[in-house]
Amino acid sequence: MRRRLLLAAYGVALLGLASFLVVRASNTGQEAFDRATATLSSASWFESAMEAATLRLRSYLNDSFDDITALQVAERALLADLDALGPGYAPLAGALHEEARLIDDFKAQHAVFRNSFYAFQRLVGDLRASEALRNDARGRESVGQLERAVLSYAFLGTTEDRAIVERLITRLREDAGFAPIAATDDWGFVVAHVRRVLDGRPLIVALDEERAALDIKRKVGDQLAGAQAVYSATVARARYHLYALFALALMLVVVAIWEIAQVRHYVAVVEEHGRGLEARVAERTADLATANDRLRQDAVERERMQEDLLQARKLESVGQLAAGVAHEINTPIQFIGDNIRFLDVAFKDLSTCLTDIRAGVHRSTPLSGLEVDELLQRADTAFIADEAPRAIAQSLDGVDRVREIVLAMKAFAHPSDNVEPADLNTAIKNAITMTRSEWKFVATAVLELDEALPRVPCALGSINQVLVNMIVNAAHAIGDVVKKAGATDTPALGQITIRTRAVAGYAEIDIEDTGSGMSDAIQARIFDPFFTTKVVGRGTGQGLAIAHRIIVGRHSGNIRVRSAVGTGTCFTIRLPLVREETVAGAA
Amino acid sequence: MFTFSSSRDLTGVLMIVALAGCTRADDSALADRIPSTARVEHVEATLEGLSAVTRLQSIDDPRVALGKELFADARLSRDNTVSCRSCHVINRGGADGLVTAVGIEGQVGPINTPTVLNSGLNFAQFWDGRAATLEEQVPGPIHNPVEMGTDLTDVVAKLGADTKFARRFGAVYPTGVSGANVVDAIATYERALVALDSPFDRYLGGDTSAISAQAERGYRAFLALGCVSCHQGPNVGGNMYQRFGIMGDYFADRGHPTDADLGRFRVTGRERDKYVFKVPSLRNVANTPPYFHDGSAATLEDAVNVMIKYQLGRSVNDDERHDIVAFLKSLEGRVEDSLL
């Protein structure tokens, strides 16, 4: 009992290790990398947009801060995304925060500069139209020069223009003819606005240069290179775990073979020993009582070893099944992953498109239908509308498939070994699911199950083992045929047919294959322990012997075989529907 | 003496004459270099800068009704005496009419209450922009010792203990009464508080009779004087920061400096952010006296005077000032009765 518990714990630990490795091997860091690249490309886009917006403002193409403010607000989501990517992205996030502050400064300084630039133009225009200057030709000329110099400075920012402006202001103040005008408040305003233009331009240029010096595009590039390095490292690690998984599977098979060889050896020794005893019984009847006693002990020993053999066989199938099931789960997981990555990209495009449209709606001139169409087209909405439902449907199929496998595994992993009424049809479906990787390349599986089959009292754990054995045998038999044919032409898939039915107090299960079939001589020996026709390493010769023990010995049923070379084999298992009391509970 | 004239036609004609009269080679080259969009006559001709407001948030969203209820709930303060609505009276322009706010136990705050109306359209919240979003803003007054003086966890405990309220809350938020949900509900209600359909919006929409001739003159003066340099966009402000006192030292002239005068400096600690504030929206401004962060301007006329002197460096006569005030009054929109 303790030994059995230990074995179970061993099995659970192995399954745990195998699933850990499967999970680690499938984590290639793809998702994190995709997230990082999407965020970084969006950062790069924002930087370009900011550059363009400041350029538009600096080149007088735009007076409104609505566009640049909408960018600032939208960029907060980007900063949150960067935050979520982890502390590794702090340099870029810091630069973007600094840029946001510089843009705030830029807007404030730009507003002041623009206001003074316009105010100057208006005030000077009014001045030239005023009565006061009507008769002052020299004054008019000076004011005209001042206006031209200020305009030129606003655009080119040369020190020459600046010097001209300063000189003109001084000269006008000192000009006796201009004195009455120079004393007015309005002239004071003109001078004040000229000062704001002179001071504002270098300030704006400096702020924009400070922003450019943040070199955000290069920082994005650096972070991208970093993300790529992390991604490659993660992929390498996943590969390493995959190798470990293979190694584990290999190790399990080796251990199983070794265990079986050991048991085989013990059995041989015990049989030898038994023969020696028989000889002694003949020779010394006086020791009969002792000899009998020993014989009985040996029988007990043998039984125990056979029990061990059964466990070793179970262990072997656990290893085989773990590898197969891992593979079965991996395929749907992969295409689910692909679909979700596609949906991720599609959703980001859609949400960018929505942001653009929203920003467009709040613009001073709202988006036209044509522009909205163009935004929608740019986001590939027609393609997304076509493809997204398909991706979702396919993913849901995949999820159903994984769920089916996991449910089968669950049913398989925790069967009670007590005899109790069980649904054989479900057991067969689970066994077919669990062994899929064994037969799917050589055969199709056809289930013709009698839905009215009553529940059969049996030890489901053992019956599962028999079913898996039989299905794997069938797959191997078909595989031999398919492989031979494969040398000449494309191999046609064989077929495994499983039928259930109730007949006069029994449940019957047919397991039929279109494999190589067996000669009469082989048929006569198939239930002998250690008899096998398979190559070394593929079978132990225990499968059918154990099946026989389980069906005939434990369940008082029987196994029949019908086979012809070149046609295939059909095993029929018969289990009584009513359990004899004497055998019940012998677990 | 010459006087300011806002007649853009005359200015424009004179400007062209002035440039055409230039004979020196560098002058004509200069005329080529300067894009027409930079000329003041172009700016006045295009009349750009302001646009109509639109709804931000469906008012049928159940969170709006819940947020409205929370907005008026005095349990959001320590001694259950002050609600958000105590200072933000929706049909009084979304503010309190006081120089500076009054919180629990009659404590007087350091700064003028900004309006809650159209606050969802602002690019940042508070005078100093210390909250980026309404969700960040909501806990501010709740935790401020001179405003509501409590803690969101205490508020949640009080509200959660009210079984009937908690049930109603749970119908809107399946996760029940929580700090995040309370904040979300209030912020959603605030986003719904956009005053729509002002005479000026109708004017922008093409109804030229929606505002008076005086208000229309005021609108042109608003653009020509340069107010629009900062008060721009659909919210007529609220999309940038600016220093108070560009063309003159406002704070030296006013005297008795306060901490609140430092503005955004208190958030960023940067020298260049001293006396810098978020440019407030001018929508519904006629209903929210007194004005400025210090509440120093009792009337719109006073406020316009201060702005023109310290921000724009210009002078206007009484008629022009009245025109601008008439324009500002046309910015008053309507809040749905269900939100009051």
Side-chain angles (χ1 to χ4, degrees):
Chain A
M1 192 62 198
R2 243 190 89 189
R3 211 180 133 75
R4 213 178 273 188
L5 270 174
L6 222 73
L7 263 169
Y10 184 44
V12 167
L14 275 174
L15 259 175
L17 180 61
S19 10
F20 167 76
L21 287 172
V22 167
V23 168
R24 292 308 296 256
S26 53
N27 171 26
T28 57
Q30 181 74 46
E31 193 203 343
F33 181 62
D34 286 351
R35 223 150 27 92
T37 47
T39 308
L40 289 172
S41 75
S42 141
S44 177
W45 181 87
F46 267 109
E47 179 56 15
S48 301
M50 283 292 185
E51 256 171 32
T54 53
L55 190 69
R56 271 201 305 279
L57 288 166
R58 279 188 59 182
S59 53
Y60 304 90
L61 293 174
N62 187 5
D63 268 349
S64 160
F65 297 132
D66 280 348
D67 290 351
I68 201 165
T69 309
L71 276 173
Q72 285 182 295
V73 169
E75 203 178 31
R76 288 176 194 151
L78 169 73
L79 283 166
D81 284 351
L82 272 177
D83 238 26
L85 285 179
Y89 293 84
L92 180 59
L96 287 170
H97 276 298
E98 183 56 29
E99 182 183 47
R101 284 192 288 268
L102 288 172
I103 295 282
D104 282 338
D105 294 344
F106 179 86
K107 282 156 67 182
Q109 293 300 341
H110 190 273
V112 171
F113 172 80
R114 286 297 293 262
N115 180 52
S116 284
F117 186 47
Y118 291 145
F120 168 78
Q121 291 182 48
R122 284 196 192 90
L123 289 166
V124 163
D126 291 342
L127 180 59
R128 266 211 307 252
S130 70
E131 284 296 327
L133 268 184
R134 178 148 301 169
N135 301 316
D136 181 358
R138 197 177 126 83
R140 275 208 309 278
E141 171 60 19
S142 298
V143 167
Q145 276 176 7
L146 178 67
E147 182 179 20
R148 288 190 294 275
V150 169
L151 281 171
S152 174
Y153 178 79
F155 279 87
L156 304 172
T158 63
T159 46
E160 289 85 355
D161 286 335
R162 193 186 177 105
I164 294 172
V165 172
E166 301 276 13
R167 207 168 49 238
L168 280 168
I169 288 176
T170 317
R171 203 178 78 196
L172 280 166
R173 198 173 44 230
E174 287 161 0
D175 190 305
F178 199 74
I181 291 175
T184 61
D185 280 353
D186 285 326
W187 181 249
F189 291 145
V190 169
V191 173
H193 285 296
V194 167
R195 287 263 158 257
R196 293 298 175 283
V197 172
L198 292 184
D199 297 346
R201 192 180 192 286
L203 266 174
I204 291 168
V205 171
L207 283 171
D208 207 25
E209 276 167 1
E210 222 178 308
R211 188 193 56 73
L214 288 172
D215 217 354
I216 284 171
K217 287 256 168 86
R218 191 183 52 76
K219 288 197 172 75
V220 168
D222 290 351
Q223 304 260 251
L224 192 62
Q228 265 156 352
V230 170
Y231 176 54
S232 325
T234 319
V235 168
R237 204 169 53 230
R239 198 173 302 137
Y240 170 77
H241 282 112
L242 196 63
Y243 293 153
L245 188 63
F246 285 140
L248 175 70
L250 198 69
M251 215 170 69
L252 277 173
V253 171
V254 169
V255 166
I257 290 170
W258 187 77
E259 287 265 321
I260 285 154
Q262 285 290 84
V263 171
R264 222 170 188 172
H265 172 74
Y266 289 145
V267 169
V269 167
V270 167
E271 276 174 353
E272 190 66 28
H273 195 56
R275 270 195 286 281
L277 272 178
E278 276 162 29
R280 264 189 284 162
V281 167
E283 279 168 20
R284 295 193 219 171
T285 45
D287 290 333
L288 193 62
T290 329
N292 272 347
D293 200 27
R294 275 200 204 158
L295 206 58
R296 210 175 301 126
Q297 271 176 19
D298 284 339
V300 170
E301 180 78 357
R302 200 183 314 186
E303 190 127 341
R304 196 177 65 75
M305 282 184 187
Q306 267 177 346
E307 198 64 44
D308 288 352
L309 192 69
L310 210 68
Q311 291 300 334
R313 188 73 183 86
K314 263 187 184 168
L315 201 62
E316 185 195 39
S317 52
V318 165
Q320 248 172 17
L321 289 178
V325 166
H327 182 76
E328 281 301 303
I329 290 181
N330 199 34
T331 311
I333 287 291
Q334 248 163 14
F335 69 72
I336 292 171
D338 291 343
N339 283 330
I340 292 179
R341 269 191 284 285
F342 162 72
L343 289 173
D344 180 37
V345 170
F347 178 76
K348 275 193 191 111
D349 287 353
L350 283 180
S351 99
T352 309
C353 174
L354 282 180
T355 310
D356 288 348
I357 290 176
R358 202 177 308 136
V361 169
H362 292 306
R363 227 170 45 180
S364 52
T365 48
L367 281 177
S368 70
L370 264 175
E371 283 172 304
V372 171
D373 272 350
E374 201 205 307
L375 283 175
L376 290 175
Q377 213 161 6
R378 206 186 312 153
D380 258 349
T381 44
F383 172 72
I384 291 170
D386 261 8
E387 207 56 31
R390 216 171 300 158
I392 291 168
Q394 205 187 23
S395 304
L396 290 176
D397 280 352
V399 170
D400 285 345
R401 174 100 199 94
V402 172
R403 203 179 55 130
E404 189 184 309
I405 295 167
V406 170
L407 284 178
M409 260 176 98
K410 229 170 107 185
F412 226 78
H414 310 287
S416 134
D417 222 32
N418 292 330
V419 174
E420 42 199 45
D423 179 355
L424 284 185
N425 289 345
T426 304
I428 288 165
K429 284 181 204 154
N430 286 342
I432 277 289
T433 302
M434 292 293 288
T435 53
R436 212 176 109 82
S437 63
E438 297 284 339
W439 51 259
K440 70 172 174 188
F441 294 115
V442 295
T444 53
V446 176
L447 300 184
E448 296 170 8
L449 305 177
D450 178 1
E451 294 305 329
L453 189 73
R455 293 168 81 79
V456 180
C458 62
L460 195 54
S462 304
I463 295 295
N464 277 340
Q465 200 183 346
V466 172
L467 289 170
V468 166
N469 250 319
M470 293 271 188
I471 294 167
V472 170
N473 277 346
H476 285 170
I478 294 169
D480 291 342
V481 178
V482 172
K483 217 174 287 165
K484 263 180 224 154
T488 51
D489 54 354
T490 40
L493 287 185
Q495 184 173 313
I496 299 174
T497 311
I498 305 184
R499 278 179 286 271
T500 54
R501 62 188 164 271
V503 278
Y506 286 93
E508 277 194 354
I509 309 170
D510 283 347
I511 296 158
E512 188 174 352
D513 65 62
T514 58
S516 44
M518 293 180 283
S519 66
D520 289 352
I522 293 176
Q523 280 182 48
R525 295 185 59 200
I526 50 171
F527 294 118
D528 293 353
F530 306 117
F531 174 81
T532 180
T533 60
K534 295 175 185 173
V535 289
V536 178
R538 196 166 172 200
T540 57
Q542 291 302 299
L544 286 174
I546 289 170
H548 194 265
R549 260 194 65 193
I550 290 171
I551 300 298
V552 180
R554 255 195 103 180
H555 290 85
S556 312
N558 64 55
I559 306 183
R560 279 171 295 147
V561 61
R562 194 156 39 78
S563 181
V565 175
T567 313
T569 304
C570 177
F571 284 96
T572 302
I573 297 171
R574 220 168 209 244
L575 290 170
L577 285 175
V578 180
R579 187 89 180 130
E580 286 163 40
E581 281 309 311
T582 46
V583 193
Chain B
M1 274 288 160
F2 64 93
T3 54
F4 170 83
S5 155
S6 66
S7 156
R8 66 181 196 279
D9 296 328
L10 182 59
T11 318
V13 167
L14 280 169
M15 196 77 78
I16 291 157
V17 169
L19 284 173
C22 296
T23 49
R24 295 206 324 253
D26 62 327
D27 286 343
S28 51
L30 176 68
D32 289 343
R33 280 201 303 262
I34 294 172
S36 63
T37 52
R39 304 308 299 241
V40 72
E41 57 270 31
H42 167 84
V43 178
E44 287 180 9
T46 50
L47 290 184
E48 276 174 350
L50 302 184
S51 45
V53 275
T54 47
R55 205 189 284 294
L56 287 174
Q57 161 73 45
S58 157
I59 59 171
D60 299 329
D61 188 326
R63 293 179 301 164
V64 170
L66 185 64
K68 177 184 151 189
E69 204 176 327
L70 284 164
F71 197 80
D73 196 327
R75 285 176 295 186
L76 266 65
S77 61
R78 190 176 63 221
D79 58 4
N80 304 328
T81 58
V82 173
S83 72
C84 307
R85 206 173 59 177
S86 305
C87 293
H88 299 287
V89 187
I90 307 301
N91 54 13
R92 210 193 284 162
D96 53 10
L98 301 171
V99 172
T100 59
V102 174
I104 54 169
E105 292 154 7
Q107 295 181 92
V108 177
I111 210 159
N112 182 257
T113 303
T115 177
V116 71
L117 296 184
N118 292 22
S119 55
L121 287 157
N122 292 339
F123 88 129
Q125 304 299 332
F126 294 121
W127 279 101
D128 55 15
R130 62 182 181 275
T133 61
L134 287 172
E135 281 78 2
E136 279 179 41
Q137 178 274 330
V138 169
I142 295 174
H143 292 157
N144 192 330
V146 300
E147 295 185 43
M148 295 159 122
T150 181
D151 190 271
L152 257 180
T153 34
D154 292 344
V155 171
V156 166
K158 273 195 266 180
L159 296 177
D162 177 346
T163 332
K164 261 165 92 183
F165 178 80
R167 259 186 92 84
R168 232 173 23 251
F169 199 102
V172 180
Y173 291 94
T175 51
V177 182
S178 72
N181 290 343
V182 166
V183 167
D184 183 74
I186 296 176
T188 306
Y189 168 63
E190 289 176 340
R191 244 190 296 285
L193 286 175
V194 174
L196 297 166
D197 199 32
S198 69
F200 180 67
D201 285 323
R202 275 181 271 138
Y203 171 79
L204 283 181
D207 178 2
T208 48
S209 66
I211 64 176
S212 66
Q214 186 188 26
E216 192 172 2
R217 282 199 306 277
Y219 173 39
R220 290 181 192 287
F222 187 84
L223 299 174
L225 278 170
C227 312
V228 74
S229 309
C230 295
H231 293 281
Q232 50 167 275
N235 214 18
V236 199
N239 76 350
M240 65 182 293
Y241 298 110
Q242 188 55 276
R243 177 188 303 266
F244 194 0
I246 296 168
M247 305 300 293
D249 193 338
Y250 169 80
F251 293 99
D253 293 353
R254 190 202 64 190
H256 60 87
T258 69
D259 253 11
D261 291 342
L262 294 174
R264 194 150 171 73
F265 173 80
R266 299 178 66 211
V267 182
T268 66
R270 300 189 314 166
E271 197 59 31
R272 52 170 98 151
D273 282 333
K274 268 191 183 159
Y275 312 116
V276 169
F277 297 88
K278 180 189 72 190
V279 174
S281 163
L282 294 182
R283 290 214 172 251
N284 314 298
V285 72
N287 287 327
T288 63
Y291 299 102
F292 306 135
H293 73 283
D294 54 11
S296 62
T299 65
L300 258 187
E301 306 256 337
D302 294 347
V304 169
N305 275 339
V306 169
M307 284 286 112
I308 286 175
K309 179 172 178 196
Y310 290 99
Q311 300 303 97
L312 297 175
R314 302 286 279 273
S315 65
V316 294
N317 58 33
D318 286 350
D319 286 345
E320 282 165 337
R321 193 172 50 249
H322 295 322
D323 292 349
I324 292 172
V325 169
F327 160 65
L328 293 175
K329 284 182 175 163
S330 78
L331 289 171
E332 186 184 345
R334 232 167 23 77
V335 177
E336 274 87 351
D337 290 344
S338 71
L339 297 174
L340 293 180

